[in-house]
Amino acid sequence: MPLSPFPRIFISCPCVEARDTEEEEGKTFNPRSERATFSLFPLDHLLYCDDCGQVRCPRCVNEEIVCYFCPSCLFEVPTATVKTEGNRCNRNCFQCPECFATLSVTAVDPFPKTDEKTGLPMGPFTLLCNYCQWSSAKHGIEFEKPTSISTQLHKMKTANSDLSSQFAKARTFYTQKGKQQDELSNAPSNLSRMMAMYSTLGSLGGSKSKGSFGKSKTEENDEANGVIEVNEADELEVINRMRNANFEDTATLEQRYEQPHKPRFKDDLLPIAALLRTKRSKRCRACRHILVKPDAKVSSIRFRIKLAAINYIPQLNLSRLTPTFEYLNLQPLQNHQYLLTVTNPLFDPISVTLATPNKTPGKYGSNVTILCPQFDVGANTDVWDEALQDAASAPGAKSAAVKKGKDGTGTAGSIWDSGRNWTAVVVEVVPPSLDKEYWSRHEALGYQEGEEEEGDDDAVVQIPVFVRVVYETELVREDGAVAGDKKEKNEHAYWYVLSVGRIGKTKTHPTVAP
Amino acid sequence: MSVQHPHRTSSLHPPPATSSAQRHSHRSPSRQSSSHPTTTSESHSHHRSSHHHHHSSSLHGTEEPIILEIGTRVVRAGFPGELSPRCTLTYKPDYWRRVGEKGERRYMRPDGARGKVKKEGQLGGGVLYKFDTGLKSEEGANTAVKSGKDEDEDDSAEVEEDVLERVLRDAYTRFLLIDPRSKRVILPVPAAFPTKRLRSITKVLLAQFGAPSVTFFPSSVFAVAGAGVRSGLVVDIGWYETIVEGVYELRPVKGGKLVGRSRRAGSMLRDNMRDLIHEMKEYQERDTNGKLVRQRIDDDELDEIVARGCWCRTKGEGAIDDGEEDDLDQSYTIPLPDSSPKAPVEIMFDRLSLPVESTFFRPLESLNGPADVEDDPTLPQHIYDTLLSLPIDVRAACLNKIIFVGETASVPGLQTRVIHELHDIIRRNGWKKVKKHVVKKHGTGAGQRRNSGRPGTARSFNSGFLDQARQRRESMVVVEDDSGGESTGEAAKEKTKPAGALRVIKSFGVWTGGSLLASAKVQGKYEVEREAFARSGYELDTSDWKNL
């Protein structure tokens, strides 16, 4: 059974609407619009600001770094040294330049002699990739000690060193120039000086000025400035090396981008020091309220504060009511029934209103009907409540409250099933049939019949659903006490997008149960 | 950045800029940000005011900035005084995907084969700017370098901002590890960069990330700085266009014509490489019915082939017949990654130099494009034209400091080859500025091409919107000749002189040049601050940016 990528459920973060003021109120959200990609998130990627009463996506939070650490050795790096060390681990942690796996320090000799005093293996050592067998020793990089590899590597003369010294020269050149005068911003004086020069030169005649002009202004000592001429011999050498090497011997683009000296050949790749990571706290952009605050200790995975949206916003789940159809092969013009389950994470019961356009947006619109668009969902009370209730009541008692259709297909206006803090309703989807144009294009792009296209595939049924939740909470006073019977009315309203499957070709023998 | 050359006011060279206002009116409205020659007095006062402006707002002036190079294909970000950027990010398809939908969607096909299939150019295709993807292989020849104005005003500008925001968030949180609100941003801007796009970038940086300010520098200045010199001719071979620009004393020089732009650049090279591979019989396979089908090559596979296998003959076609290279020709196998059903490409190594040949050294008619497309000058000719248009003193300073930047410029052999051909052109033509233009002006169509018997010498601009501007420029050139009166004598002298002064020097590239200048505390003139930008309703006031 192929792993199905359906159903997928996203929430549109309202921060996008807030930014685009031209956006009309009450307009149906179009999941196919190009911009929708950037505002749709799975529920578990969202945070929630309880001051603003609004979900917060990664775009509407500000981040602050709590600590820096190496993901490989879990060593915390003090803030002061992070930048000078290039945001990379300064110890023994390196990445393979070819496959980016973590390298380990091993002795070059497979059966190394051991030091008599310490009992530790003796060098030389190499950085070895346990995944692709890349070894620094094969490229002439061996280490005397198994520790402080970074320092040892730094002292070695590598392909990088020439560049660095050339860069140092150029840097000195500009720093000195910069000190003499602030050339770029202090143009007036510069300009008048040049004009003075020109007026004298002008009287001498153009041809003479040409020879002296370039030099008189700046004495460019090429050697000292690190100026290097491109010469033909060097370029021919590279071409010959390419000619004699295999394509596999040249570094891939991805490998080159990771290396400061942009090597053309794999032989010239250097191990990459592990990139440091950070723990970050997150604040709401609007009210500066802290939404996430991790424990400052590197080894701790605890959060001091974490306001995840999943604890505030109802979660939608989708499943097939009858497992007779395939998500990847929805049958055109047939009724597909899904079970939409709304789960309430709040400690108060909520009343839910679902709204969806009759026809989904896009070139091939499907007809969508939610059989029961208005219903209540129970509070997220103690898990045991349900079990105790169930034990108390007779097994058949609960089903009486639920009005399932006679034939198990659901009836309009009533819910399908409900539990402690969830309610399920039936959603009917009738996809259209795709025209020849679609299929010929699909094939021309090299896709197999049931395969989803990259990007926005017209055949995928995406249903925008506007979920409006109203609930009442007990008003909490400033001192923390509950303010008696006074209740506060709250409301959440978000656009969800349900990707329910992909329209297929009509089967000759329909398998959907009658 | 003052580009101004005092000789414009001297009697030697009457200012060719008399019609700058007219010329301006012929430019696309969204490309306002460049190349307006101004009089010296104007720029003088302008300098003073902006200088003052800077000091009044030097709250962040002392703090170290970051340097951000936002290219069409990659983003580089890092700190000043460092050799290389902290990160080089490409616009991966992931940036166009929904969160939680990341990664190639791979699942078992009915036939059990695992395959990665992509639409060509889908999901951004590795470039940030979508409207430019009109320059694809088939239809590319007639779209030319489009101006920044889209035909259909859709969401694309906003999508660009969204994507850029994701890329920059990656840069800030994974590589720079800083709070974006704490650092000023230094942004190199290529010549003739659309203002609309610059505004998008500024908006993302200031409004979305809350950077204190953005300072713009001409990227050609950074390229020159990256080479360790202060003047030079910058040949920036980018993705959609190649820009040739002179820089004198760290100021970009706008010659008597619009900035030299040509669409002979990276994306055309990739298209030519695709054509080369598609031509091969070996790269066609039979499907189950025995029908011959051409396999598709993904853009990123082509990118790899171009970056790893592409090379350029250091000598032109006439010189190959020496026979020295013939026996060296050997087969070269290019395995196509991640594509099990595809066969590896078997190609002669010598043929891998052909795409560069057709991209930079041959007239474009030899490609598949329709014949009525006006030709772009070849790269050496383009450089020569730009040199010609430069003030003579600047030209002298540039000749021995030709600097190539841009990803495509690193194709081995390309720089040497360009210099060889440029050498030939100079030897043939000297610096005769006027004659050629006058002849050309009356020519039409194919007659415009000079009758030199060599391919790749045809010259003129491809883009229709530049035509009128060009004509105006040409007429100006004539004026210059009349009054200057020295050009012919000059040319004769140049002709007898060996053009041995030509020299290409290596540059660390635009980003590193920026790092050098920023570490020398060079201050920029064009700075936009967060509060001011917000006050202006996120609009850039470019009225006084005459020379960016």
Side-chain angles (χ1 to χ4, degrees):
Chain A
M1 194 65 192
L3 187 70
S4 170
F6 296 107
R8 301 191 287 258
I9 295 173
F10 299 92
I11 297 180
S12 166
C13 180
C15 67
V16 180
E17 289 162 37
R19 260 193 266 172
D20 303 343
T21 41
E22 319 102 76
E23 198 83 1
E24 299 155 48
E25 283 271 325
K27 205 173 125 192
T28 302
F29 181 80
N30 181 7
R32 293 199 186 276
S33 83
E34 264 191 287
R35 290 206 81 188
T37 310
F38 302 94
S39 69
L40 287 173
F41 298 90
L43 181 60
D44 44 6
H45 279 69
L46 293 170
L47 299 170
Y48 181 83
C49 176
D50 51 5
D51 271 18
C52 305
Q54 192 73 276
V55 295
R56 291 285 170 234
C57 71
R59 306 173 80 181
C60 44
V61 295
N62 282 332
E63 299 187 337
E64 284 160 21
I65 293 168
V66 174
C67 68
Y68 305 83
F69 65 98
C70 168
S72 180
C73 60
L74 291 183
F75 188 76
E76 185 177 343
V77 183
T79 317
T81 57
V82 166
K83 214 202 125 217
T84 49
E85 288 168 10
N87 299 346
R88 290 180 185 269
C89 181
N90 203 18
R91 289 144 51 99
N92 296 331
C93 306
F94 283 89
Q95 267 182 304
C96 175
E98 272 203 55
C99 69
F100 307 108
T102 308
L103 296 173
S104 57
V105 183
T106 43
V108 174
D109 188 351
F111 304 102
K113 288 176 197 151
T114 47
D115 191 86
E116 283 175 17
K117 283 177 200 162
T118 58
L120 295 169
M122 304 231 302
F125 297 92
T126 178
L127 283 168
L128 180 75
C129 175
N130 288 319
Y131 182 74
C132 72
Q133 302 299 309
W134 184 89
S135 163
S136 67
K138 279 185 207 154
H139 303 274
I141 303 171
E142 292 184 1
F143 305 94
E144 287 168 15
K145 298 178 294 175
T147 51
S148 39
I149 298 286
S150 184
T151 325
Q152 292 185 61
L153 192 67
H154 198 71
K155 282 177 189 159
M156 274 176 221
K157 190 167 169 55
T158 55
N160 226 341
S161 324
D162 288 344
L163 272 182
S164 304
S165 67
Q166 192 197 345
F167 179 76
K169 279 180 190 169
R171 195 180 160 182
T172 327
F173 171 64
Y174 283 109
T175 319
Q176 283 168 353
K177 281 277 167 192
K179 273 178 195 156
Q180 284 166 16
Q181 51 171 288
D182 199 1
E183 297 268 345
L184 280 174
S185 61
N186 204 9
S189 69
N190 204 12
L191 211 65
S192 54
R193 196 163 50 90
M194 280 170 77
M195 278 177 69
M197 196 163 63
Y198 260 107
S199 55
T200 52
L201 288 173
S203 60
L204 290 172
S207 62
K208 273 187 187 172
S209 74
K210 199 169 67 73
S212 57
F213 185 76
K215 279 171 193 161
S216 64
K217 182 68 178 67
T218 42
E219 288 297 327
E220 278 169 358
N221 187 348
D222 287 358
E223 272 297 303
N225 307 347
V227 172
I228 292 179
E229 191 182 344
V230 174
N231 64 50
E232 189 168 355
D234 288 350
E235 295 215 300
L236 284 174
E237 195 191 316
V238 173
I239 295 171
N240 270 331
R241 203 172 154 192
M242 278 170 70
R243 189 189 293 275
N244 296 324
N246 290 321
F247 188 74
E248 287 99 331
D249 296 336
T250 52
T252 66
L253 279 173
E254 196 185 4
Q255 290 162 356
R256 276 182 217 187
Y257 285 139
E258 287 290 328
Q259 307 264 336
H261 59 293
K262 299 178 199 105
R264 185 169 285 280
F265 299 97
K266 280 189 179 161
D267 275 354
D268 301 332
L269 294 173
L270 296 173
I272 308 159
L275 196 63
L276 296 184
R277 288 197 192 161
T278 53
K279 282 188 160 188
R280 295 189 293 269
S281 62
K282 303 186 183 198
R283 283 174 189 275
C284 172
R285 272 178 90 100
C287 67
R288 312 274 303 140
H289 191 73
I290 296 184
L291 307 180
V292 172
K293 194 179 171 69
D295 212 5
K297 258 177 34 195
V298 170
S299 53
S300 164
I301 54 164
R302 240 167 45 89
F303 285 89
R304 291 174 185 279
I305 300 168
K306 186 164 192 182
L307 303 176
I310 203 158
N311 296 323
Y312 295 88
I313 303 300
Q315 188 176 4
L316 265 56
N317 279 305
L318 204 67
S319 58
R320 288 173 293 187
L321 183 57
T322 45
T324 43
F325 61 87
E326 297 163 33
Y327 286 120
L328 283 171
N329 194 13
L330 301 183
Q331 289 303 295
L333 308 175
Q334 288 191 28
N335 191 1
H336 298 75
Q337 288 193 321
Y338 289 88
L339 210 52
L340 181 68
T341 311
V342 180
T343 311
N344 177 17
L346 299 167
F347 298 112
D348 301 294
I350 55 173
S351 72
V352 178
T353 314
L354 304 177
T356 183
N358 289 335
K359 227 176 173 77
T360 58
K363 198 172 173 192
Y364 306 97
S366 303
N367 286 318
V368 181
T369 320
I370 299 175
L371 291 192
C372 178
Q374 256 183 322
F375 50 88
D376 292 335
V377 184
N380 185 12
T381 48
D382 200 321
V383 216
W384 288 107
D385 288 359
E386 189 180 33
L388 293 170
Q389 271 174 17
D390 277 7
S393 59
K398 200 178 121 225
S399 59
V402 179
K403 296 161 194 163
K404 284 183 191 172
K406 276 178 266 170
D407 50 357
T409 52
T411 42
S414 58
I415 60 167
W416 172 260
D417 200 356
S418 71
R420 177 176 60 95
N421 65 336
W422 57 269
T423 300
V425 293
V426 174
V427 177
E428 290 183 344
V429 179
V430 182
S433 66
L434 301 173
D435 50 15
K436 265 207 185 108
E437 188 194 331
Y438 176 83
W439 287 114
S440 58
R441 198 183 55 94
H442 187 70
E443 201 181 330
L445 289 168
Y447 289 101
Q448 304 278 327
E449 201 182 299
E451 205 170 21
E452 190 184 342
E453 290 173 15
E454 277 275 357
D456 185 22
D457 186 350
D458 284 330
V460 172
V461 180
Q462 299 193 57
I463 309 172
V465 179
F466 190 68
V467 180
R468 189 164 164 270
V469 173
V470 181
Y471 62 98
E472 286 185 332
T473 46
E474 281 165 345
L475 211 60
V476 181
R477 282 206 311 253
E478 297 243 319
D479 56 5
V482 177
D485 52 351
K486 255 200 166 175
K487 294 237 172 178
E488 189 187 24
K489 204 171 180 188
N490 282 313
E491 185 186 316
H492 290 316
Y494 297 105
W495 278 104
Y496 285 62
V497 172
L498 319 174
S499 288
V500 301
R502 197 175 166 281
I503 308 169
K505 278 185 177 165
T506 313
K507 284 182 188 168
T508 40
H509 303 291
T511 52
V512 177
Chain B
M1 202 86 10
S2 171
V3 181
Q4 286 324 306
H5 282 274
H7 64 255
R8 290 255 165 80
T9 55
S10 77
S11 58
L12 272 181
H13 300 262
T18 41
S19 61
S20 76
Q22 285 159 290
R23 198 183 321 163
H24 176 76
S25 65
H26 287 288
R27 312 196 71 218
S28 154
S30 58
R31 284 195 184 261
Q32 293 164 352
S33 61
S34 72
S35 75
H36 298 286
T38 50
T39 65
T40 312
S41 60
E42 252 179 51
S43 75
H44 188 105
S45 62
H46 172 56
H47 274 293
R48 196 180 288 147
S49 65
S50 64
H51 192 60
H52 171 74
H53 172 67
H54 186 90
H55 274 266
S56 67
S57 60
S58 61
L59 188 67
H60 314 284
T62 49
E63 206 180 321
E64 194 189 61
I66 62 163
I67 296 141
L68 203 57
E69 185 188 344
I70 298 175
T72 317
R73 298 269 291 168
V74 289
V75 166
R76 297 190 178 87
F79 299 103
E82 293 183 6
L83 168 61
S84 50
R86 290 283 169 95
C87 62
T88 306
L89 298 172
T90 50
Y91 302 106
K92 293 175 292 187
D94 276 353
Y95 290 124
W96 275 265
R97 290 200 177 95
R98 286 181 192 169
V99 174
E101 241 180 23
K102 281 195 175 174
E104 307 281 348
R105 248 176 256 136
R106 288 161 187 252
Y107 34 91
M108 298 294 270
R109 284 183 180 172
D111 59 2
R114 263 173 190 278
K116 176 182 79 172
V117 193
K118 261 195 230 154
K119 287 183 216 173
E120 239 164 90
Q122 178 80 39
L123 288 173
V127 295
L128 178 60
Y129 304 138
K130 199 187 152 218
F131 77 89
D132 280 343
T133 46
L135 286 172
K136 281 271 171 237
S137 50
E138 287 88 358
E139 71 271 55
N142 45 21
T143 33
V145 182
K146 272 204 246 169
S147 64
K149 192 162 176 84
D150 287 13
E151 283 95 4
D152 45 342
E153 287 290 337
D154 54 356
D155 278 352
S156 65
E158 279 79 24
V159 173
E160 263 170 49
E161 283 172 29
D162 290 334
V163 170
L164 187 63
E165 190 188 322
R166 285 186 171 183
V167 179
L168 291 181
R169 176 156 288 130
D170 240 15
Y172 275 123
T173 58
R174 279 177 58 212
F175 294 93
L176 298 177
L177 305 187
I178 52 160
D179 183 350
R181 287 164 298 169
S182 66
K183 301 275 184 192
R184 294 187 296 130
V185 175
I186 285 183
L187 190 82
V189 181
F193 196 73
T195 309
K196 188 174 146 195
R197 184 147 298 151
L198 200 60
R199 178 187 161 263
S200 290
I201 293 174
T202 314
K203 191 175 154 198
V204 170
L205 283 169
L206 296 185
Q208 196 56 30
F209 286 100
S213 73
V214 182
T215 312
F216 306 107
F217 277 90
S219 57
S220 54
V221 169
F222 281 180
V224 166
V229 292
R230 298 169 65 85
S231 311
L233 186 80
V234 179
V235 182
D236 184 349
I237 307 181
W239 182 243
Y240 289 119
E241 55 185 8
T242 295
I243 299 176
V244 183
E245 199 180 7
V247 172
Y248 189 78
E249 285 299 307
L250 297 184
R251 286 167 178 79
V253 179
K254 308 297 198 285
K257 65 172 189 170
L258 300 172
V259 182
R261 296 160 63 224
S262 149
R263 69 197 154 97
R264 294 174 183 266
S267 101
M268 187 186 277
L269 179 60
R270 183 170 81 180
D271 290 341
N272 287 337
M273 181 59 92
R274 180 186 288 119
D275 292 348
L276 177 78
I277 291 173
H278 275 169
E279 269 170 28
M280 293 169 47
K281 271 203 194 110
E282 299 90 317
Y283 198 62
Q284 292 168 344
E285 63 171 13
R286 285 174 196 285
D287 62 9
T288 43
N289 305 326
K291 209 174 85 185
L292 206 62
V293 286
R294 185 195 272 173
Q295 297 182 40
R296 300 185 69 82
I297 319 172
D298 282 349
D299 280 351
D300 46 3
E301 287 170 354
L302 277 169
D303 283 338
E304 290 283 335
I305 296 172
V306 168
R308 298 162 69 180
C310 226
W311 63 285
C312 176
R313 292 172 198 282
T314 55
K315 292 188 178 69
E317 278 156 15
I320 307 173
D321 301 331
D322 300 350
E324 54 174 326
E325 289 181 56
D326 288 356
D327 52 327
L328 284 169
D329 197 4
Q330 59 190 43
S331 176
Y332 200 69
T333 309
I334 300 174
L336 291 173
D338 288 336
S339 45
S340 45
K342 293 183 192 170
V345 176
E346 291 275 350
I347 192 166
M348 298 312 260
F349 185 75
D350 276 3
R351 286 177 66 83
L352 285 171
S353 71
L354 295 179
V356 179
E357 209 73 34
S358 45
T359 308
F360 295 110
F361 300 104
R362 286 196 193 142
L364 290 184
E365 279 85 349
S366 65
L367 303 179
N368 308 332
D372 60 327
V373 174
E374 243 193 286
D375 200 4
D376 250 2
T378 62
L379 184 58
Q381 184 69 37
H382 182 190
I383 296 173
Y384 174 76
D385 291 345
T386 311
L387 279 170
L388 257 187
S389 73
L390 289 176
I392 207 153
D393 302 312
V394 179
R395 190 197 301 158
C398 285
L399 274 181
N400 68 340
K401 294 182 214 72
I402 296 174
I403 296 156
F404 284 83
V405 288
E407 208 92 326
T408 314
S410 65
V411 171
L414 177 67
Q415 304 186 6
T416 308
R417 169 71 178 280
V418 169
I419 289 313
H420 279 317
E421 297 217 344
L422 183 60
H423 206 281
D424 287 349
I425 295 175
I426 295 175
R427 207 163 41 201
R428 256 198 329 272
N429 302 335
W431 295 112
K432 278 178 288 182
K433 199 171 195 169
V434 186
K435 206 172 167 189
K436 194 183 73 184
H437 286 271
V438 173
V439 169
K440 252 182 49 56
K441 221 175 108 188
H442 302 296
T444 50
Q448 281 199 345
R449 254 143 247 135
R450 275 185 305 137
N451 192 15
S452 64
R454 274 183 62 90
T457 43
R459 71 160 307 285
S460 67
F461 266 84
N462 60 299
S463 340
F465 79 95
L466 291 177
D467 271 358
Q468 283 175 301
R470 188 194 60 208
Q471 278 175 15
R472 178 154 292 106
R473 165 170 56 82
E474 281 162 4
S475 58
M476 278 173 338
V477 170
V478 181
V479 172
E480 187 174 338
D481 178 49
D482 290 345
S483 55
E486 56 168 342
S487 308
T488 42
E490 199 63 39
K493 238 176 248 170
E494 287 280 349
K495 211 167 184 176
T496 53
K497 251 205 234 163
L502 282 183
R503 184 179 65 153
V504 184
I505 56 175
K506 268 185 196 155
S507 173
F508 284 113
V510 171
W511 189 91
T512 311
S515 156
L516 280 167
L517 285 186
S519 72
K521 301 268 191 293
V522 168
Q523 288 175 335
K525 262 168 23 81
Y526 304 104
E527 185 170 5
V528 179
E529 286 174 17
R530 187 175 53 207
E531 283 82 21
F533 189 57
R535 272 200 305 275
S536 68
Y538 303 116
E539 287 298 334
L540 283 181
D541 177 21
T542 54
S543 55
D544 58 345
W545 293 13
K546 298 217 166 64
N547 296 305
L548 185 69

